């Protein structure tokens, strides 16, 4: 299934030689009403860069064309890049580009003889064999490899002497929920001027109210019914700012469902808005800080972590803090008294920690008196995945905090029991603070009516929803029903902070009233299901490697 492009898979063109490779994740290296929070701008995203060794003159990006399509709470963007090699000899380059959490590679194309050729998936075991065979035939191979976290590296060869090479990368992502609406952002800023920059956007928005801008490129939208389209094209310009698109979230808790029949299944994808009260959390009198001090911790943003803890202990007031330092093994717990939010003594201890050794996040034991755990880590664990993490009791919760540029977000989500992931690398400080200090709700699916003829899974960002995110955020789910299956609805169960629960039924479309998909690849609903299914397994990649392979085979 070519919509499951995650770690553990190789995508290769058997007759048309383009290859993607996705490798195993790298090892770690040697109460009261709360004020409404409008998230500030996210930290700047990292930019793609082409690395070329031994080039007398730099190989540069000369043209960028971006096309973004938004529908059903999701965006899929195509980035077409043209690179020019001014040198008098053939060169080889590596294009490095990090993605934000939630973004996924949904396609790759490379020009072969002036024509763009796309990749399709094969089993990982065949990947190197296919690549070697392509190289022996002296045809242009391309290798796309997942490195650390949500970062990728694309081998581009050849870069022809005094010639150009075109690369197209497709990226899929859910829209962010901000201040009661939906938002999409893509960085456009480039330090050097480009010969040409083109930005196109198409947004399906039944509620209207779409706003869009593209830095200094001058993007204007035109409306045709529920569809908004815009295009901007400039030459000899250094693009600035972001492609920034906002639109209203669904105004009703009733779910919006899109579906398509494909092969022998009906695939569906649904989104529903959840209202949550804007309420501050009641904090315990003992907070346990799990601090990953392994070698990879040197990449974390200590200033941002300390600022978050400043806010946390200010709200905490007086009580006890317990620090457990984790490397290849856990250090003995250190208990520190906190008085009126003053955690200066604990901060000094953490500030003086030395970051070295391996990561073993399972090397600690929860205590009976510990109700709240804050884990500061990128979760590049050397000692097994989340399945080995200590189990927490029903009255205990954990928030996972990352501040490194790249992290194993899938594993962090699985560790955040009755809590959430706080991403200081990509979220504003205001939003991070609100997610930690405001109440949220836990979401699950009732699968009892699905049996063997259907499957459904929540989106990875829908398992825990925070009241900090506007009106609560979107519940996203996707799945399939086999031909003749008896499932007619999926029930979503939401448990609120006070223990109360609500059930929201999501009706599924009938087989004979659902159109059959006739496009290339897979329908969007099927790609949503594939992404969610893999994300659920990736929390413990090593333990689920075979299951991930079965999903993607």
């Amino acid at each position: 299934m070519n919509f499951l492009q995650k770690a553990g898979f190789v995508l290769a063109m058997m007759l048309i030689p383009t290859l993607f490779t996705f490798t195993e994740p790298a090892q770690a290296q040697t109460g009261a009403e709360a004020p409404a929070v409008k998230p500030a701008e996210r930290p700047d995203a990292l930019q793609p860069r082409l690395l070329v060794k031994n080039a007398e003159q730099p190989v540069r990006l000369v043209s960028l064309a971006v096309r973004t399509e938004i529908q059903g709470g999701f965006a899929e963007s195509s980035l077409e890049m043209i690179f020019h090699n001014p040198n008098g000899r053939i060169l080889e380059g590596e294009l490095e580009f990090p993605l934000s959490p939630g973004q996924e590679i949904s396609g790759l194309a490379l020009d072969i003889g002036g024509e763009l050729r796309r990749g399709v998936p094969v089993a990982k075991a065949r990947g190197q064999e296919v690549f070697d065979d392509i190289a022996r035939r002296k045809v242009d191979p391309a290798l796309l490899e997942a490195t650390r976290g949500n970062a990728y590296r694309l081998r581009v060869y050849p870069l022809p002497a005094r010639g150009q090479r075109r690369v197209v990368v497709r990226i899929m992502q859910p829209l962010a929920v901000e201040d009661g609406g939906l938002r999409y952002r893509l960085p456009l800023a480039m330090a050097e001027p480009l010969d040409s920059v083109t930005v196109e956007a198409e947004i399906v928005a039944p509620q209207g109210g779409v706003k869009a801008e593209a830095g200094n490129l001058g993007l204007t939208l035109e409306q045709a019914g529920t569809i908004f389209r815009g295009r901007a094209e400039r030459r000899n310009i250094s693009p600035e700012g972001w492609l920034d698109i906002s639109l209203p979230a669904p105004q009703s808790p009733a779910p919006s469902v899109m579906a398509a029949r494909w092969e022998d299944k009906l695939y569906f994808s649904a989104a529903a808005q959840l209202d949550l009260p804007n309420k501050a959390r009641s904090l315990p009198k003992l907070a346990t800080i799990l601090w990953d001090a392994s070698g990879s911790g040197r990449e974390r943003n200590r200033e941002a972590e300390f600022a978050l803890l400043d806010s946390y202990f200010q709200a905490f007031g007086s009580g006890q803090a317990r620090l457990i330092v984790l490397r290849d093994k856990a250090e003995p717990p250190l208990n520190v008294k906190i008085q009126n939010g003053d955690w200066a003594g604990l901060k000094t201890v953490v500030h003086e920690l030395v970051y070295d050794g391996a990561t073993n996040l399972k090397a600690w034991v929860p205590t009976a008196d510990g109700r709240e755990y804050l884990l500061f880590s990128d979760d590049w664990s050397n000692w097994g995945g989340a399945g080995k993490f200590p189990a927490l009791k029903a009255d205990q919760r954990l928030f996972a905090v990352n501040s490194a540029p790249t992290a194993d977000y899938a594993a962090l989500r699985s560790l955040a029991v009755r809590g959430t992931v706080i991403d200081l690398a990509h979220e504003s400080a205001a939003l991070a603070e609100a997610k930690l200090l405001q109440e949220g709700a836990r979401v699950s699916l009732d699968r009892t009516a699905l049996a063997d003829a259907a499957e459904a899974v929540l989106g990875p960002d829908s398992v825990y929803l925070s009241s900090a995110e506007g009106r609560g955020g979107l519940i996203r789910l996707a799945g399939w029903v086999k031909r003749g299956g008896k499932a007619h609805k999926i029930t979503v169960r939401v448990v609120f902070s006070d223990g109360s629960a609500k059930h929201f039924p999501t009706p599924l479309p009938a087989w004979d009233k659902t159109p059959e998909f006739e496009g290339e690849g897979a329908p969007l609903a099927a790609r949503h299901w594939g992404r969610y299914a893999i994300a659920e397994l990736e929390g413990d990649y090593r333990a689920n490697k075979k299951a991930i392979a079965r999903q993607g085979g």
Side-chain angles (χ1 to χ4, degrees), residues 33 37 71 130 152 165 226 254 259 297 384 387 453 524:
E33 287 296 314
V37 174
Q71 181 178 5
V130 173
Y152 294 83
R165 203 70 198 271
T226 62
L524 186 59

Side-chain angles (χ1 to χ4, degrees), residues 310-321:
D310 284 341
S311 299
Y312 178 80
F313 283 115
Q314 187 64 38
F316 180 88
S318 299
Q320 286 277 28

Side-chain angles (χ1 to χ4, degrees), residues 75-197:
E76 188 163 33
S77 302
S78 170
L79 282 68
E80 179 176 310
M81 297 165 280
I82 298 178
F83 296 93
H84 176 68
N85 175 15
N87 299 279
R89 59 191 180 91
I90 295 174
L91 295 173
E92 176 181 335
E94 282 191 345
L95 177 64
E96 294 185 346
F97 55 99
L99 301 182
S100 299
Q103 291 182 327
E104 302 288 343
I105 297 293
S106 59
L108 172 71
L110 186 71
D111 64 322
I112 309 283
E115 181 180 351
L116 280 176
R117 305 296 180 92
R118 297 170 49 195
V120 295
V122 300
K124 183 178 180 181
R126 288 273 294 139
Q128 191 61 47
E129 178 184 344
V130 173
F131 185 78
D132 291 343
D133 180 62
I134 291 170
R136 281 194 298 270
R137 289 188 275 127
K138 298 183 178 180
V139 188
D140 306 344
L143 180 67
L144 179 67
E145 185 177 18
T147 55
R148 292 190 63 195
N150 225 20
Y152 294 83
R153 179 173 58 223
L154 172 65
R155 178 179 182 265
V156 182
Y157 176 85
L159 293 165
R162 298 188 177 88
Q164 296 183 335
R165 203 70 198 271
R166 182 166 47 144
V167 179
V168 179
V169 178
R170 294 187 66 86
I171 300 170
M172 184 171 69
Q173 67 189 87
L175 301 182
V177 179
E178 291 190 4
D179 198 29
L182 302 178
R183 193 176 186 186
Y184 164 87
R185 301 185 79 218
L186 180 77
L188 297 173
M190 298 285 175
E192 300 294 332
L194 306 184
D195 294 353
S196 68
V197 181

Side-chain angles (χ1 to χ4, degrees), residues 205 375 394 454:
L375 170 66

